[in-house]
Amino acid sequence: MKQKNQKINFSDDLLKSLEFDQILVKIADFTNIENNKITIKNTKPLTTFKQIERKHQLVNDAINIANKKTKISFIETGIIKNDVSHASKQKMLSSLEIFQIAEFIKFHEKIAKIIHQAKYISPSINSLLNKSVNLKNLTKKIDQYLDSKGQIKPDATNALKFLNKQLDNIGHEIKDKLEIIITNNLKNNVIQENIITLRNDRFCLSIKANEKNAIPGIIHSTSDSGQTVFLEPIQTINLGNERQEVYLEIKKELDKILKMLVNDIGVESQSINTKIKEHNKLDEIFAIAFYTLKCNYTEFITHNIENTLIEEENYSLKLIDACHPLIDKVIPLNLDIISPINAIAITGPNTGGKTVALKTTGLLTIMALSGIPIPARKGTKIPLYNAIFCDIGDEQSIEQSLSTFSAHIKSIIKAINYGNNNSLILLDELGAGTDPDEGARLAVAILDYLVNYKAHIIISTHHSEVKKYVANSQTILNASMEFNLKKLVPTFKINIGVPGNSNALLIAKKIGLSNKIIKKARSLISKEEIVYAKATKQLSNQLRMIDSQKTQIVQLKLKLKKTISILQNDFNKINKTYEKNHLNKLNLVNNHLKKIEASIAKLQIDQDKKQLDMLQNKFNQQKKLLSSIEQEITDQHSDNFSLGDEVYIKSIKTYGKIKNIHSSNNIEIETDQSRIIVKIDDIKLSRRNIKLAMNKKQNTFNISPVSDPGNEIEIRGKPIDIAIEQAEKFIDHAARFGHRRAMIIHGKGSGKLKKTIREILDKHPLIEKYENASFSEGGAGVTIIYLEHIN
């Protein structure tokens, strides 16, 4: 059915009714950047498959990094951004503001380094980093002029160094003169305290107020009590003036330095803003990752290569062990809407979990389309809906004087007007809030109308007429919320394919209602309804039996999987033993041949022909034995040819290398003269390749463009920056080639290189642990590292 072509946005009311706003508040708590808190709280579902896929990839990468126990955090960037903006406009910044910009850049670079080191487990998030932007020269220059507290260093420039020294000299000269004056006036009872103090940046003496005329000079201030005046003696006024002049020169030099640094920041403002954007984006993505891990879900899924969570076309909605993220100890939800079925009608008693099922479906769909992992099991599928229509709970509008029924109908009209085959429609208690008979007929009519849209529809209802309508439909499934009649409590488990019963009479009887009333009520039930109820109960029992059998099958599968694993390990052990025996035979024959050759060479010198002939015959026999063993090994590995293998071509009696494998029967070989295509039966591995073929690891493929670095690297005696670079490259390559234990030889020396390397190891995502080498392996001069397995 053709619908009105109107773009549907995911409204705030919809997101609030599905409690998505509560999820966003929890995620926002994990960000350290105020603007990101606002951005996250305003998150809406993404509209294209590429956007959703990209967001899930980034979050998945962040989770991988966070799972490595790597310490990663983010800092507020709002003030930094404002300061950079001021610098770009040549507005003056304080030394502390400049210092904070430099500290941010260095802090961000540390995060970028951690992410870069984890690029093999998080390639998408690594691509967020702009590696062409380099601000090391800027931070180095700022560090040259500012100290660790953000103040300009006293010796930042030669001029500043000279002026500060001059200032100190004048200060000492003033203090010396003031101390002489104090000494000369101690007996006169003129001095209030034997100290030199600064007032208005002038060195002064503490003089009793009633003796202020005893020492000529200028009074700069008086104490609060009025008992003391702070006087600059006339003998130091000229020196004080000189000191002020030097101080003004110092201020000019400081302003000159600040202006220079502000100019440098302004020049690099675009690059700094790039780093700020990177930092903000990483903070936002990691906030989702930290929230997901903090939730301690039994299982959660994202859209990735191994699991296609989001379906670009509206093929099916499938939830497997899906849980509502805001409810503790919730029963997992399992449902499936796949063509030709496009709707589910859930019936059952109040507080049985119908509303929770609808909210779980809607909320998890919104989360998945927003790039947020959801608590569900692998195999869950969420279509790329372009709209969701939801009427859940009592949304009565007092302002518009709408009744409960009117409010429901208004929400349903939106779905009728704008719904299409790419929509999800969730309607709670369809037909409620009015006369039961009219409400039931209206519910059937609405459902019948909406089903034609081919949208995915989930409704809940109490009306028996709806259950009967659904039972005769080819595109709608009945479902019910299970109820424990013995305990008189809902189990919150959904049964697909079985309509629910209210169980009102049974519950009333167990609670203690008179049997006479119960019998009268039952007598009013039509025969048709009794037959329908019995059939429903029988179907429910059959489904329970099927569920029980499914559980048994799952347990058997797990047991079978474990048995297969044990047998595979046993097979590998037997295969290794078999290959080892062949190698031992080969080595034994080779050693024997070498001994015979040595004996023949000696006999040739001694000219003992009889013994020479005997040994020659023995040598020929051993060579035949060697050839037969090699042939047996070659035949064993004939189906395991790989690109680059050296082979012998039987038909033309020459050697070559495999360049391409066209099919299971045709191999392209490069010889010294040309490239030819031969049958697989016409080649065998050369002797040099036999041992390599036997030792190939099963199911291991090395796609690295770099060579195996081995299990040790020596960086002893190298400059620290080169040593660090080589060590980091070694760790990356060693992990890629499957090494689990390796050695970094850094030597003892001053211990600085060892300390630097270990600081890197503490933060490296590929390092499980490290330790000192044993005495025999180098002791304190060697660090043993244990690498994560990344294949």
Side-chain angles (χ1 to χ4, degrees):
M1 186 176 290
K2 190 175 180 181
Q3 299 302 307
K4 294 180 182 179
N5 186 18
Q6 179 168 337
K7 186 177 179 182
I8 300 295
N9 294 317
F10 294 93
S11 68
D12 291 338
D13 289 340
L14 167 73
L15 303 181
K16 189 174 181 180
S17 67
L18 292 173
E19 299 170 328
F20 184 56
D21 58 324
Q22 295 182 41
I23 298 293
L24 297 180
V25 167
K26 289 178 179 291
I27 293 173
D29 286 341
F30 287 88
T31 177
N32 293 319
I33 299 172
E34 284 303 315
N35 278 344
N36 273 357
K37 290 185 187 294
I38 298 169
T39 301
I40 289 170
K41 288 177 183 178
N42 289 326
T43 297
K44 296 263 180 92
L46 300 166
T47 55
T48 69
F49 180 75
K50 283 188 177 180
Q51 289 175 328
I52 296 167
E53 184 179 46
R54 174 67 170 164
K55 181 93 172 274
H56 275 285
Q57 286 172 345
L58 293 172
V59 173
N60 194 58
D61 283 0
I63 289 171
N64 287 339
I65 294 172
N67 271 332
K68 292 293 178 184
K69 309 301 180 188
T70 305
K71 291 181 180 178
I72 190 164
S73 61
F74 303 89
I75 57 176
E76 176 59 63
T77 57
I79 295 173
I80 303 295
K81 187 176 180 180
N82 287 338
D83 290 342
V84 172
S85 175
H86 289 158
S88 68
K89 299 170 185 175
Q90 294 300 304
K91 292 182 180 179
M92 191 59 74
L93 300 178
S94 69
S95 62
L96 188 59
E97 288 168 335
I98 294 170
F99 175 74
Q100 287 171 341
I101 291 172
E103 288 301 293
F104 161 74
I105 295 168
K106 289 186 278 187
F107 186 86
H108 181 72
E109 287 306 315
K110 286 180 182 177
I111 293 170
K113 191 171 184 179
I114 291 171
I115 290 171
H116 181 68
Q117 288 170 339
K119 61 187 175 184
Y120 301 114
I121 60 172
S122 55
S124 295
I125 207 164
N126 186 62
S127 67
L128 288 178
L129 304 174
N130 189 335
K131 299 169 188 68
S132 64
V133 176
N134 191 332
L135 295 168
K136 286 183 179 178
N137 289 337
L138 176 63
T139 55
K140 189 176 179 182
K141 188 170 184 179
I142 293 172
D143 288 343
Q144 179 185 337
Y145 288 94
L146 304 184
D147 62 20
S148 60
K149 293 182 179 178
Q151 300 300 317
I152 296 176
K153 295 175 183 177
D155 57 351
T157 63
N158 289 332
L160 187 61
K161 184 178 180 181
F162 172 78
L163 289 169
N164 276 315
K165 190 173 181 181
Q166 192 176 357
L167 190 71
D168 287 342
N169 290 338
I170 294 171
H172 287 309
E173 190 176 349
I174 292 171
K175 288 177 183 178
D176 288 343
K177 289 193 174 189
L178 291 177
E179 284 175 2
I180 292 171
I181 294 171
I182 289 172
T183 303
N184 293 338
N185 286 278
L186 279 176
K187 294 178 181 180
N188 299 340
N189 201 25
V190 171
I191 306 297
Q192 187 76 278
E193 290 183 87
N194 298 339
I195 59 170
I196 297 169
T197 184
L198 273 174
R199 288 292 185 275
N200 300 327
D201 206 34
R202 311 283 291 199
F203 287 108
C204 298
L205 297 176
S206 300
I207 307 296
K208 291 178 180 180
N210 56 0
E211 298 290 344
K212 60 184 178 182
N213 296 322
I215 299 175
I218 299 171
I219 296 173
H220 287 284
S221 67
T222 306
S223 67
D224 293 338
S225 66
Q227 299 296 313
T228 306
V229 295
F230 299 100
L231 180 140
E232 181 182 15
I234 198 167
Q235 296 93 321
T236 62
I237 287 175
N238 288 337
L239 285 173
N241 291 339
E242 284 182 37
R243 184 174 174 277
Q244 286 299 310
E245 289 173 5
V246 173
Y247 184 77
L248 290 173
E249 289 299 317
I250 289 174
K251 192 174 183 308
K252 287 180 185 177
E253 187 66 19
L254 293 176
D255 288 343
K256 183 180 174 183
I257 292 169
L258 291 176
K259 191 174 181 180
M260 173 189 65
L261 295 178
V262 166
N263 182 66
D264 290 342
I265 291 170
V267 170
E268 296 288 1
S269 60
Q270 190 173 347
S271 296
I272 300 171
N273 282 326
T274 298
K275 297 293 181 185
I276 291 171
K277 286 179 183 177
E278 287 177 6
H279 198 80
N280 290 354
K281 187 64 177 177
L282 289 171
D283 176 68
E284 180 188 344
I285 296 299
F286 271 91
I288 299 173
F290 293 147
Y291 160 77
T292 302
L293 295 174
K294 185 73 173 178
C295 284
N296 292 322
Y297 296 139
T298 302
E299 190 171 351
F300 66 85
I301 52 173
T302 61
H303 180 92
N304 53 48
I305 296 172
E306 297 176 358
N307 181 66
T308 306
L309 171 61
I310 307 299
E311 292 202 325
E312 196 164 4
E313 299 293 335
N314 188 12
Y315 291 125
S316 66
L317 169 65
K318 187 171 188 177
L319 300 180
I320 303 176
D321 289 346
C323 298
H324 196 293
L326 298 174
I327 302 176
D328 293 330
K329 298 180 181 178
V330 67
I331 302 299
L333 175 66
N334 291 275
L335 62 82
D336 194 352
I337 300 178
I338 185 168
S339 183
I341 301 299
N342 67 295
I344 294 175
I346 307 173
T347 50
N350 285 331
T351 69
K354 300 191 299 296
T355 302
V356 171
L358 266 65
K359 280 194 171 184
T360 300
T361 303
L363 178 57
L364 297 194
T365 298
I366 293 289
M367 288 174 67
L369 296 180
S370 302
I372 301 170
I374 62 172
R377 201 153 53 82
K378 192 174 179 180
T380 293
K381 303 289 182 186
I382 304 287
L384 182 57
Y385 296 118
N386 65 4
I388 297 176
F389 301 95
C390 174
D391 178 50
I392 295 177
D394 184 2
E395 298 295 337
Q396 185 173 191
S397 173
I398 297 172
E399 289 180 5
Q400 297 179 23
S401 300
L402 295 174
S403 68
T404 300
F405 177 73
S406 300
H408 287 314
I409 293 299
K410 189 174 181 184
S411 297
I412 292 167
I413 287 171
K414 287 182 182 177
I416 290 171
N417 286 342
Y418 305 117
N420 56 47
N421 62 350
N422 239 8
S423 303
L424 173 64
I425 302 173
L426 305 170
L427 304 176
D428 192 23
E429 298 297 350
L430 184 61
T434 188
D435 176 77
D437 290 336
E438 286 190 5
R441 287 191 285 272
L442 186 61
V444 169
I446 291 169
L447 187 56
D448 184 70
Y449 190 88
L450 289 174
V451 162
N452 292 321
Y453 290 178
K454 304 300 180 185
H456 285 168
I457 305 166
I458 304 176
I459 71 156
S460 71
T461 183
H462 277 91
H463 297 299
S464 296
E465 286 76 3
V466 176
K467 291 188 282 184
K468 292 173 186 176
Y469 165 76
V470 171
N472 294 315
S473 172
Q474 300 297 314
T475 58
I476 314 173
L477 276 180
N478 263 313
S480 59
M481 303 308 298
E482 191 176 79
F483 191 83
N484 189 322
L485 293 173
K486 290 181 180 179
K487 297 180 180 179
L488 298 182
V489 292
T491 65
F492 300 103
K493 181 182 177 184
I494 191 170
N495 288 326
I496 303 295
V498 181
N501 294 312
S502 68
N503 299 308
L505 297 182
L506 189 58
I507 293 169
K509 183 179 179 181
K510 289 203 172 190
I511 291 173
L513 188 65
S514 168
N515 280 334
K516 194 173 181 179
I517 297 174
I518 299 293
K519 283 181 181 179
K520 178 64 178 175
R522 279 180 178 161
S523 69
L524 298 173
I525 302 173
S526 67
K527 288 183 179 179
E528 186 182 282
E529 288 182 14
I530 292 171
V531 171
Y532 183 77
K534 283 183 178 178
T536 300
K537 187 176 180 181
Q538 188 178 2
L539 180 59
S540 181
N541 290 336
Q542 288 174 350
L543 283 175
R544 276 197 203 93
M545 189 183 298
I546 291 170
D547 279 346
S548 177
Q549 289 171 347
K550 280 183 178 178
T551 303
Q552 291 176 11
I553 290 169
V554 170
Q555 290 172 346
L556 285 171
K557 279 184 176 180
L558 290 172
K559 191 174 181 181
L560 182 61
K561 191 175 180 181
K562 188 176 180 181
T563 304
I564 290 171
S565 179
I566 293 169
L567 290 173
Q568 185 66 50
N569 288 335
D570 290 344
F571 174 78
N572 290 340
K573 288 177 184 177
I574 292 168
N575 197 39
K576 284 180 182 178
T577 304
Y578 177 75
E579 291 181 344
K580 187 178 179 182
N581 289 339
H582 271 70
L583 277 177
N584 289 339
K585 270 189 190 179
L586 206 60
N587 291 333
L588 191 65
V589 173
N590 268 324
N591 290 336
H592 203 174
L593 282 174
K594 286 177 183 176
K595 288 180 182 178
I596 294 171
E597 283 178 334
S599 299
I600 290 171
K602 187 173 184 300
L603 285 170
Q604 282 175 337
I605 295 171
D606 297 342
Q607 297 296 311
D608 189 336
K609 190 172 184 310
K610 186 177 179 181
Q611 186 138 0
L612 182 64
D613 290 341
M614 184 183 74
L615 280 170
Q616 188 67 53
N617 289 333
K618 198 171 182 180
F619 179 73
N620 292 335
Q621 289 172 6
Q622 291 293 326
K623 279 196 76 174
K624 283 181 181 179
L625 177 60
L626 178 65
S627 295
S628 68
I629 293 171
E630 287 177 346
Q631 186 60 48
E632 185 180 347
I633 295 169
T634 304
D635 293 342
Q636 180 189 348
H637 295 281
S638 61
D639 294 331
N640 295 327
F641 293 117
S642 301
L643 295 179
D645 280 352
E646 185 177 284
V647 295
Y648 179 72
I649 307 169
K650 302 172 192 174
S651 58
I652 59 176
K653 297 180 182 179
T654 189
Y655 289 92
K657 282 190 177 180
I658 295 177
K659 286 297 177 183
N660 204 348
I661 300 174
H662 293 289
S663 65
S664 59
N665 198 36
N666 293 323
I667 309 290
E668 186 177 343
I669 310 292
E670 183 178 64
T671 66
D672 290 338
Q673 288 80 28
S674 62
R675 283 195 181 196
I676 58 174
I677 296 176
V678 299
K679 299 290 184 184
I680 197 167
D681 296 337
D682 193 29
I683 62 174
K684 64 178 182 178
L685 286 172
S686 70
R687 290 183 181 180
R688 281 180 289 183
N689 260 12
I690 289 172
K691 187 172 180 180
L692 177 63
M694 290 178 63
N695 287 329
K696 278 184 179 178
K697 293 180 181 176
Q698 289 186 334
N699 301 324
T700 300
F701 302 90
N702 178 17
I703 60 171
S704 171
V706 297
S707 58
D708 188 338
N711 60 359
E712 67 175 54
I713 183 174
E714 183 167 354
I715 55 174
R716 177 171 45 199
K718 294 180 179 179
I720 285 184
D721 56 342
I722 294 173
I724 290 171
E725 183 182 352
Q726 291 182 356
E728 287 180 337
K729 184 185 286 186
F730 169 74
I731 292 168
D732 286 345
H733 291 176
R736 289 170 64 186
F737 278 87
H739 293 292
R740 302 305 299 274
R741 183 181 185 275
M743 294 193 297
I744 299 178
I745 304 168
H746 43 64
K748 297 176 183 177
S750 65
K752 187 175 180 181
L753 179 56
K754 177 180 179 179
K755 182 183 176 184
T756 303
I757 290 297
R758 292 200 169 188
E759 285 174 353
I760 291 169
L761 296 179
D762 282 332
K763 300 175 183 177
H764 204 293
L766 296 178
I767 300 297
E768 282 186 351
K769 63 175 183 177
Y770 62 84
E771 61 190 14
N772 280 330
S774 62
F775 181 77
S776 61
E777 289 180 307
V782 176
T783 294
I784 304 295
I785 60 172
Y786 295 88
L787 294 152
E788 290 271 6
H789 186 56
I790 64 172
N791 287 330

